[in-house]
Amino acid sequence: MSTTMTPVKARRSTTEKEQETPAWKKRLTSDNAARVAALLSFFLFWVLMSALFERVPGPIEVVQRLVEEFQRGEVFGNFGMTLYRFGVGVALATVVGIAVGVIMGLSQLGRAFFESPVLVGLSIPAIIWSFLTVMWFGFGDLSPIITTFLTSVPFVIVNVAQGVRGVSRDLRDMSTTYNVPFSRRVRDLVLPAVTGYVAAGVRFAIIIGWNGVLLAEWFGGGGGVGYRARWWYDANRFGGFAAWVVLFVGFIVLLDRFVLDRVIQRAFRWRDASA
Amino acid sequence: MAVLTIKNLAKTFNVGTPKASRVLDDISFDVRGGTFVSIVGPSGCGKSTLLNIISGVEEHTSGDISLTSDSGGPARMGYVFQDPRLLPWRSVMKNMMYVQNDRSEETVARARKYLDMVGLAKNADFFPGQLSGGMQQRVGIARAFAVEPDLLLMDEPFSHLDAITARGLRAQLQDIWAQSKKTVVFVTHDVVEAVELSDRIIVLQPGGRIYEDITIDLPRPRRQTDPTVATLQAEVLGRLEAMKTLSRTAAA
Ligand SMILES: Nc1ncnc2c1ncn2[C@@H]1O[C@H](COP(=O)(O)OP(=O)(O)O)[C@@H](O)[C@H]1O
Ligand SMILES: [Mg+2]
């Protein structure tokens, strides 16, 4: 049996810990550091792959090709075209998705009616839709718009319907006792309550819809980012192909970061006010 | 004239299933216009269920229930719940307007008037989350009065508040009621509160029947410090104790 006792230091307060941690350590363990690290590792991986395989173009080559595309005046026209089709498709998917989602969330009958079509819609990949729409609508704007719409709308519907079903029973009962008309209930109770779900749905719609628009352009051949990427691909010039991929992936990331994030934050102002 | 008439009302949850339970058995009473009626009874005896049936949120299994309005149209109802039930993403004023039929200047002015009466005129643009629990409950009360209801239902509106806040709100409720003379059905498990506020107390017993119907004939405003109020409170409390003993021996 031991008789000596090791003196134990009293536990440190958060203020103490805060003061003792050096600044460089704090910065290295921050969220931003993790983001930078992810970007950096991806970049290194890319450089490595391009060094190992001849058919993988490296970053420098891709940037060169991109600059050349700008100089040729190919970027703005094609990008604008794609953006227009994509924008119309996603906007349609958002409006229709919210409407159908609200119906599915509020009414048993609506749910029974839409459940199977939505499930089927979820399971059909963008590539199938792009084949079909090119067959149906030919090479114009319509096929990429419809493909974007069809691939993304089920995701909006599912998210919104789930949100609507979760709307507080207490607030719904309150609305019933006060005879609040249906349209006002949707606008002031249901929609604000499902903002988070709508945002998640639209985010999905954008990411999935992007696939749709590019694939339809790839097969449709009526101009646009997908068309241009394919053009380089068919010419066996992977640098040009990769340049377009980098361009549109970068665009989606920026859109998500700087537009969607802010819109969502604005929609949740009331929550911050409560804190 | 009776604003609310209830005859042989019964409610069974989960009818036709093994879980079926009869909550209200045979309830008959009517409420005259301009009176303040309390429904008192131990927790679980079906008070909230009864209010929900009156408000139309819950369906009744058998019996009759009818509501009349002064206007001849469908009866307008106000409901103050145990919790505030405000839309967290709308300002106080927008919450007041959410339950109104129209957006006219007159209606807006009325909503402001009642907000002012509960002392929250300055908080019209606040979000509910920026108010204390007591203030939120006051918004709920103002909202209910501001629809100028033919019938105002209240379900233990002060039971979630601390004693001091609750006492203040009870006094405020008395004042507003004295000015508006709305017909009120007020549910509580607190006899003391019921005696302070009501013209009449309907005592509900476990099993969903009316045990007693007591008229409270005391001058208003009533204050806790008034000995006649305290005496009557003690008496009603005694009768409720008797009921509990009775139903316990009946169960045994
Ligand atoms: N939706 C429901 N389904 C089944 N039982 C219910 C439901 N709502 C209430 N009850 C039951 O009815 C009884 C009375 O409930 P309630 O009216 O809330 O009582 P009180 O308001 O007097 O405390 C309780 O036993 C409760 O469990
Ligand atoms: Mg209750």
Side-chain angles (χ1 to χ4, degrees), chain B residues 44 47-49 82 155-156 187:
Chain B
K47 303 182 297 293
S48 296
T49 305
Q82 212 162 351
D155 190 356
E156 311 202 27
V187 157

Side-chain angles (χ1 to χ4, degrees), chain A residues 174-186:
Chain A
M174 182 272 286
S175 308
T176 306
T177 52
Y178 281 105
N179 270 322
V180 177
F182 180 77
S183 59
R184 201 187 301 159
R185 260 186 235 202
V186 169

Side-chain angles (χ1 to χ4, degrees), chain B residues 156-171:
Chain B
E156 311 202 27
F158 308 131
S159 63
H160 282 347
L161 303 174
D162 64 87
I164 295 170
T165 310
R167 183 186 298 178
L169 283 190
R170 270 197 295 273

